[in-house]
């Protein structure tokens, strides 16, 4: 085993990356004990992970590995990329036992048994993929659409997580053997093969593996795998969706629009961001900026979700953002978070943390039910009651992806830098953050995201800055005090507020982020949202669900511009949420429509309808009760 | 060979069907010599059919048949349903040589050579499918998703057309041998198999084959193939799209909503309508009424196009009618025409002819380029310039489907009944219509669809009615005179006007259908069309294309309600069209949007924009020039 470099369970270890401004804080140094995330994280550990472990067995995913190891017979089960679900589960379980929650001996046992199966499945030359075992052993690396490097990447990420969480090198040894095998097989050198994977993922994993082992070859390999894209090495296997589908349409550094398969695109961008953090090549960062601009200003849902089209699971054209037919795969949201986290580490700009937060609450979190045992693959923004979470999928990428994201959440709250401590997310809990030669202890008290009052006790001495994100959504009224003294500088939404001082134990920072209900409209080119508004409060997107508004069809509800909303804490609703209530208007089609679908256009506007009391709930919590219609974008009406 | 019953090239021969009110008029008894359709039909004969014939060879479709015959080796080429394209081409070519256009000796030679290949490919037991030949010969009827009956149905339709057009029994003999083979293999009787095809099509073909041969067994077989649906015989092969996909989700007579794969749905409905015409079973007609209502009032584009979703090529939810992402397969439009033609024959109600006309001009016709050599599979109602017609497709169902529709068009213009003659479509030309013991000759003079003035000379004697369709789109002002005397009854849009009299040679009927430009709005539940209007004139839907409006981005164009449109004949445009011109308004996003995709909603309405002259063209003619944006639904604006 190579040298171990990292010293904590860091989600992405940019601590020594020369081109990253922020250093992560290991998730084992952070606790979240709030009323919002803590129950979700507990459910993730106690319900999601055990149930997914059972499903890995029941669906033959572990059996596939044992079959590859020769200890079990029968056919390969499921799809060719099914190993990756095992690895994502291992990553999730590893993060879960890292945070001091190792009161779960059963989870440790599950991890160990799973790693044994993975170890056994590895070939003597380091190759590891249960699909290309036995009768298909001679078909290795013959079809780059069959996700061999993709699965390898997930193995590497799991191995890095397991090592950071437990200091065990069992899985890391498996990973480095496979990485070395890939490294001697592929590359620009004479005698190696030119190729890359149809599904990006391995790039970020290789960079992390390099960080964990100190082995720079893996960074060179990651760069090679990026560089060969756009030169047709993947052929036309996905001809129907074009080369954009697997991000092979143009050389990466020439890209200026985010296109094709959404998960592939953001996974690739995350890997390139990792590469930039190590190499500092300006063209990579410039390209990432162009792609981020393309995504955030033309191709992103108000939820932060991405990937508009079912066809090819892809980004669509600019402003193509259908609501009921939104694809918005949960994995794409997670990939966006991964990318944004890396951009944040590189540039320390709040816009990335703003988007990370938006996506976390409103695009990733809807992907899992409150009970932690059913999942969305697609996350539409409108539905008539047919779209429901499922316990598993034939292509089960999303469930363990949600699990690893939740398990690693404490690692996204803080960063450190030469200037001091950065607070990206607000959630009650504690952290112990290494800063130069000392450790600063923090305690956040807040009811966020239900309330924007945040108290931070700083237990550390010396001269350093505390950087607090002022979310862009907090357009006015944010205030900040230190020991009840207001900060002299005004706070700028979408920037970090810097509190620099000589800290003393017991210093208390109070941040107040007012959370009025916000009506949001979308760019006029988003044709499906013409004449509609969405409701937001704090970082949360809201929606109307039929069950809360039983007297009327929710598509008949219109929200006049002068209606005021009340934020109402409802402890009995969906585990406790702030609901939004208002007197809106009922605006059903007039009788003259009868059964017509089209008619001669009339100029007379419809009269204002009857008043109707409405209740909106956070979008992330929809579809947790009986099926019914749901809408994010509401008619403005009169 | 069985007795031949039909006596003309009738597209659907309900002449002796006990439960059909209308009898068709053979397309060989009708000429169209107008400026709209005649050039299209000539292009179809002279460009489309020869180019498709070449493509049948170049893509291995004929070779597949020769391979099955044993006269050629090599692999089967293309997809398992590729025989059907050969049959659809044969049907199209047959109709084309029926109408007295047999100045095309080359077309006759192509037909004969193709039939020779089909004959040779037939197995001694009557089975015929080139995919299930040689190495797959033992896999016949093992997977009902592999279109064996679907291909058979297209063979039967081609054979019936060829027989009606040429009186040759060559292809009909092949068809009856295969039909007999299917009939001894499948059915409710002991010793036969229970099954039906994943893709309906054979049902209508069997009924037509029965009409052509007098063989009632084929009707019984068609009924059996309908009756077994909804009982799970097709299994879950298309599990992802559900049993709706292949119309196996519920017994046919229980259906009340049109769902699943659009082409499958309307082909099945057409077959059931044929079955009803022969059997008169009330439950069949009642179900067809429910499905027609479901489609036309909740699931149909303003173009008449159907099938909203790329996913599963399916109908979506009620009111799910996205524009840029509309699937609206050309074949689905054609299937809708086929279904509506049969409903019209059964019930003689103008609503079916209205929809046939709408679909013909605006949903089928956009499927082929003006030069007759490129095709749309999908027909979106909005585009940014990327959707272009193609010369062929891997799944090439649409091109020969368009060809057979155009080739048979003269057969859709008229019907006869005990009351007299029905005129469904308006197009300059002639017809010789058998009525009791005499033949009535008609001549239509009109510039329809550019102009609603129609003159009909009736050359026939005796007491009968002339039934003229008053289109539902002609909401007011229609007038009708006979020898310059106004008809005493008022004309009702969406009904046939009956002119009953003792006719004398030279009698002249003049129908005037005013064609003001109509602004159409869609039901408020069609969310993508909120605040938008579509433009129609006569039977034609219009659109804006970028090339005609070069100074502005067409999505920035708004059409205030008080703007008036001029209909402008443009002989130099797109082969001659009536364009619509108006002074509209420019309404681009205000500068404050900057690069934002979402912002706090503002209440102040945007000021009226600059005036901008706009030109709209018929939707069917879009994408025949350089690529650019297109919109059917235009912002109403101020």
């Amino acid at each position: 085993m190579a040298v171990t470099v990292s010293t904590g369970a860091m989600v992405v270890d940019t601590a020594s990356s020369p081109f990253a401004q922020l250093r992560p804080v290991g998730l084992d140094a952070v606790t979240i004990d709030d009323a919002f995330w803590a129950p979700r994280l507990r459910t993730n550990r106690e319900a999601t992970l055990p149930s997914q472990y059972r499903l890995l067995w029941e669906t033959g995913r572990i059996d596939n590995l044992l079959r590859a190891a020769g200890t079990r017979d029968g056919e390969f089960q499921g799809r060719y990329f099914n190993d990756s679900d095992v690895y994502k589960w291992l990553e999730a379980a590893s993060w879960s036992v890292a945070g001091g929650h190792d009161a779960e001996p059963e989870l440790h046992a599950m991890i160990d048994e799973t790693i044994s199966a993975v170890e056994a499945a590895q070939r003597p030359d380091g190759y590891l993929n249960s699909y290309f075992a036995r009768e298909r052993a001679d078909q290795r690396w013959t079809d780059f659409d069959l996700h061999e490097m993709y699965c390898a990447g997930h193995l590497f990420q799991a191995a890095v997580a397991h090592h950071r969480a437990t200091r065990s090198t069992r899985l890391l040894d498996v990973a480095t053997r496979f990485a070395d095998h890939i490294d001697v097989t592929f590359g620009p050198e004479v005698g190696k093969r030119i190729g890359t994977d149809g599904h990006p993922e391995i790039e970020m994993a290789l960079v992390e593996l390099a960080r964990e082992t100190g082995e720079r070859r893996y960074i060179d390999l990651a760069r090679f795998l990026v560089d060969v894209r756009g030169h047709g090495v993947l052929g036309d296997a996905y001809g129907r969706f074009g080369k954009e589908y697997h991000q092979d349409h143009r050389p990466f550094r020439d890209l200026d629009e985010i296109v094709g398969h959404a998960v592939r695109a953001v996974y690739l961008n995350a890997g390139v961001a990792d590469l930039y953090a190590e190499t500092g090549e300006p063209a990579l960062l410039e390209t990432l900026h162009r792609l981020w601009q393309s995504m955030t200003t033309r191709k992103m849902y108000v939820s932060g979700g991405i990937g508009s089209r079912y066809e090819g699971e892809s980004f669509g054209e600019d402003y193509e953002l259908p609501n009921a037919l939104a694809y918005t795969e949960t994995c794409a949201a997670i990939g966006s978070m991964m990318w944004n986290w890396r951009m944040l580490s590189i540039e320390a700009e709040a816009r990335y943390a703003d988007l990370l937060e938006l996506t976390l609450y409103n695009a990733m979190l809807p992907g899992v039910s409150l009970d932690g045992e059913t999942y969305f693959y697609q996350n539409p923004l409108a539905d008539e009651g047919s779209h429901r979470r499922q316990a598993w999928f034939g292509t089960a990428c999303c469930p363990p992806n949600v699990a690893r994201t939740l398990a690693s959440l404490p690692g996204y709250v803080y960063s450190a830098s030469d200037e001091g401590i950065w607070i990206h997310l607000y959630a009650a809990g504690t952290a112990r953050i290494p800063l130069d030669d000392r450790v600063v202890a923090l305690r956040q008290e807040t009811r966020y995201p239900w309330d924007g009052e945040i108290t931070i006790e700083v237990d550390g001495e010396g001269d350093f800055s505390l950087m607090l994100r002022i979310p862009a959504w907090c357009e006015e009224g944010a205030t900040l005090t230190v020991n009840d003294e207001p900060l002299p500088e005004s706070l700028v939404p979408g920037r970090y507020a810097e509190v620099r001082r000589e800290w003393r134990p017991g210093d208390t920072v109070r941040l107040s982020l007012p959370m009025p209900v916000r009506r949001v409209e979308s760019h006029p080119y988003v044709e499906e949202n013409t004449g509609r508004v969405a409701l937001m409060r704090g970082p949360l997107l809201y929606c109307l669900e039929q069950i809360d508004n039983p007297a009327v069809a929710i598509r008949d509800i219109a929200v006049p511009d002068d209606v005021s909303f009340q934020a109402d804490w409802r402890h009995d609703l969906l585990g406790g949420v702030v609901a939004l209530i208002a007197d809106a208007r009922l605006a059903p089609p007039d009788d003259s429509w009868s059964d017509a679908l089209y008619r001669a256009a009339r100029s007379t506007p419809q009269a204002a309808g009857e008043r109707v009391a409405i209740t909106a709930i956070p979008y992330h919590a929809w579809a947790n009760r009986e099926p019914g219609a749901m809408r994010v974008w509401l008619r403005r009406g009169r």
Side-chain angles (χ1 to χ4, degrees), chain A:
Chain A
M1 238 311 290
V3 201
T4 65
V5 175
S6 128
T7 53
M10 290 157 174
V11 177
V12 179
D13 188 0
T14 52
S16 305
S17 302
F19 298 92
Q21 298 189 33
L22 303 187
R23 301 189 291 271
V25 174
L27 59 86
D28 46 350
V30 178
T31 64
I32 295 179
D33 55 20
D34 69 343
F36 188 91
W37 288 115
R40 292 293 200 142
L41 271 50
R42 190 179 322 114
T43 298
N44 193 51
R45 282 194 310 276
E46 296 176 2
T48 304
L49 287 174
S51 71
Q52 290 189 357
Y53 180 75
R54 280 194 303 278
L55 282 159
L56 292 181
W57 277 98
E58 288 169 16
T59 60
R61 282 166 166 82
I62 306 288
D63 284 346
N64 285 340
L65 292 163
L66 299 176
R67 178 179 179 275
T71 56
R72 198 175 278 246
D73 288 323
E75 295 293 304
F76 177 90
Q77 293 174 67
R79 310 217 49 197
Y80 50 88
F81 44 70
N82 276 9
D83 288 357
S84 64
D85 303 320
V86 178
Y87 302 143
K88 271 191 276 194
W89 180 89
L90 269 175
E91 182 185 341
S94 298
W95 295 132
S96 284
V97 298
H101 303 291
D102 47 11
E104 279 93 30
E106 286 176 18
L107 201 49
H108 277 286
M110 292 174 193
I111 291 171
D112 290 342
E113 183 161 16
T114 307
I115 291 178
S116 296
V118 172
E119 282 174 333
Q122 189 164 39
R123 297 296 83 205
D125 63 357
Y127 184 86
L128 175 46
N129 187 306
S130 76
Y131 183 74
F132 292 97
R134 296 197 173 192
E135 75 283 5
R136 274 186 292 263
D138 61 350
Q139 295 171 38
R140 289 182 190 180
W141 311 122
T142 55
D143 183 343
F144 292 110
D145 279 325
L146 295 181
H147 290 43
E148 289 163 277
M149 292 187 198
Y150 168 87
C151 290
H154 278 300
L155 167 65
F156 302 166
Q157 290 181 314
V160 166
H162 187 251
H163 185 246
R164 288 181 186 160
T166 66
R167 312 315 303 164
S168 156
T169 62
R170 276 186 76 192
L171 197 57
L172 195 63
D173 288 342
V174 175
T176 53
R177 279 195 296 268
F178 193 10
D180 291 341
H181 174 81
I182 297 173
D183 185 45
V184 299
T185 308
F186 292 93
E189 297 86 359
V190 175
K192 291 190 182 181
R193 292 185 55 187
I194 304 295
T196 195
D197 201 274
H199 197 314
E201 145 69 23
I202 196 173
E203 301 79 6
M204 58 181 145
L206 281 168
V207 176
E208 278 277 88
L209 193 62
R211 290 171 181 150
E212 197 63 10
T213 61
E215 183 54 80
R216 264 205 87 85
R217 278 184 298 121
Y218 302 148
I219 294 172
D220 297 336
L221 178 57
R223 183 167 47 202
F224 166 75
L225 294 174
V226 169
D227 289 352
V228 295
R229 291 187 178 276
H231 298 287
V233 295
L234 289 166
D236 286 319
Y238 281 90
R240 181 178 172 208
F241 303 134
K243 290 174 186 287
E244 291 85 354
Y245 180 81
H246 37 36
Q247 306 293 316
D248 192 37
H249 52 302
R250 288 170 69 189
F252 186 82
R253 294 163 185 80
D254 295 345
L255 299 179
D256 52 14
E257 181 184 358
I258 197 160
V259 299
H261 189 270
V263 175
R264 282 167 166 80
V266 288
Y267 276 21
L268 178 60
N269 295 348
V272 171
D274 268 329
L275 203 53
Y276 175 81
E278 303 306 320
T279 67
E281 184 193 332
L284 294 181
L285 188 62
E286 289 156 13
T287 306
L288 291 171
H289 284 159
R290 291 195 299 273
L291 295 173
W292 197 86
Q293 201 69 7
S294 169
M295 180 176 89
T296 58
T297 67
R298 291 179 177 81
K299 301 195 180 192
M300 189 180 78
Y301 284 90
V302 69
S303 63
I306 50 170
S308 304
R309 288 191 184 176
Y310 273 70
E311 188 77 355
E313 307 186 312
S314 63
F315 286 101
E317 299 284 331
D318 286 350
Y319 306 108
E320 178 186 319
L321 295 161
N323 291 314
L325 288 178
Y327 196 73
T328 46
E329 185 181 337
T330 305
C331 285
I334 291 169
S336 175
M337 288 177 59
M338 294 162 74
W339 178 25
N340 277 286
W341 177 248
R342 286 156 176 79
M343 298 302 285
L344 177 61
S345 298
I346 292 167
E347 302 196 282
E349 289 186 14
R351 58 182 177 151
Y352 302 119
D354 280 344
L355 184 50
L356 179 81
E357 176 183 66
L358 178 77
T359 308
L360 170 69
Y361 281 106
N362 307 298
M364 184 286 291
L365 194 56
V368 59
S369 59
L370 289 174
D371 70 7
E373 299 203 24
T374 60
Y375 311 91
F376 274 144
Y377 201 110
Q378 299 90 12
N379 292 275
L381 276 71
D383 187 58
E384 289 303 312
S386 62
H387 192 72
R388 306 299 290 175
R389 292 187 187 84
Q390 297 175 44
W392 199 242
F393 305 92
T395 296
C397 47
C398 298
N401 223 353
V402 167
R404 67 174 179 155
T405 305
L406 287 171
S408 59
L409 187 66
Y412 291 101
V413 180
Y414 302 96
S415 294
S417 74
D418 293 344
E419 293 79 29
I421 294 169
W422 299 67
I423 307 186
H424 309 301
L425 300 180
Y426 298 108
T430 66
R432 293 178 54 77
I433 300 174
L435 210 59
D436 299 329
D437 53 352
R438 64 190 180 283
V439 170
V440 177
L442 293 184
R443 160 130 211 106
Q444 276 197 53
E445 286 295 347
T446 177
R447 293 185 65 246
Y448 201 91
W450 306 126
D451 178 300
E453 303 304 315
I454 301 144
T455 302
I456 298 159
E457 285 176 47
V458 183
D459 190 1
E461 287 180 81
D463 177 21
F464 62 89
S465 291
L466 197 62
M467 315 289 285
L468 298 105
R469 182 174 60 96
I470 311 302
W473 58 254
C474 190
E475 291 167 353
E476 49 194 320
T479 59
L480 199 161
T481 64
V482 182
N483 299 335
D484 298 326
E485 292 290 316
L487 198 71
E489 297 85 17
S490 64
L491 306 179
V492 183
R495 297 281 178 86
Y496 286 86
E498 179 172 7
V499 181
R500 181 164 186 169
R501 57 185 271 118
E502 186 72 31
W503 297 88
R504 291 161 196 281
D507 279 350
T508 299
V509 175
R510 286 200 170 81
L511 176 63
S512 174
L513 302 171
M515 290 186 172
V517 177
R518 308 192 310 282
R519 284 178 174 77
V520 173
E521 64 184 356
S522 59
H523 192 284
Y525 290 168
V526 183
E527 301 194 351
E528 199 159 333
N529 294 343
T530 301
R532 292 186 163 75
V533 287
L535 304 176
M536 301 190 81
R537 182 174 178 275
L540 299 183
L541 177 67
Y542 278 73
C543 69
L544 291 183
E545 228 183 352
Q546 190 67 64
I547 190 172
D548 300 307
N549 303 279
V552 298
I554 62 168
R555 60 181 165 192
D556 288 342
I557 292 170
V559 178
D561 285 358
D562 58 0
V563 154
S564 65
F565 281 86
Q566 293 296 114
D568 185 28
W569 172 250
R570 296 274 301 273
H571 68 92
D572 56 332
L573 189 63
L574 294 160
V577 298
V578 168
L580 305 184
I581 54 176
D583 262 343
R585 293 280 187 172
L586 196 57
D590 57 70
D591 293 343
S592 62
W593 274 102
S594 176
D595 225 3
L597 187 52
Y598 305 100
R599 72 176 185 191
R602 300 180 184 182
S603 292
T604 41
Q606 199 171 352
E610 292 171 44
R611 290 184 188 282
V612 56
I614 62 168
T615 299
I617 61 158
Y619 171 68
H620 67 74
W622 85 280
N624 273 292
R625 295 166 294 172
E626 66 183 62
M630 181 278 293
R631 287 286 186 287
V632 165
W633 289 96
L634 311 177
R635 296 162 59 195
R636 295 179 76 153
R638 300 183 61 218

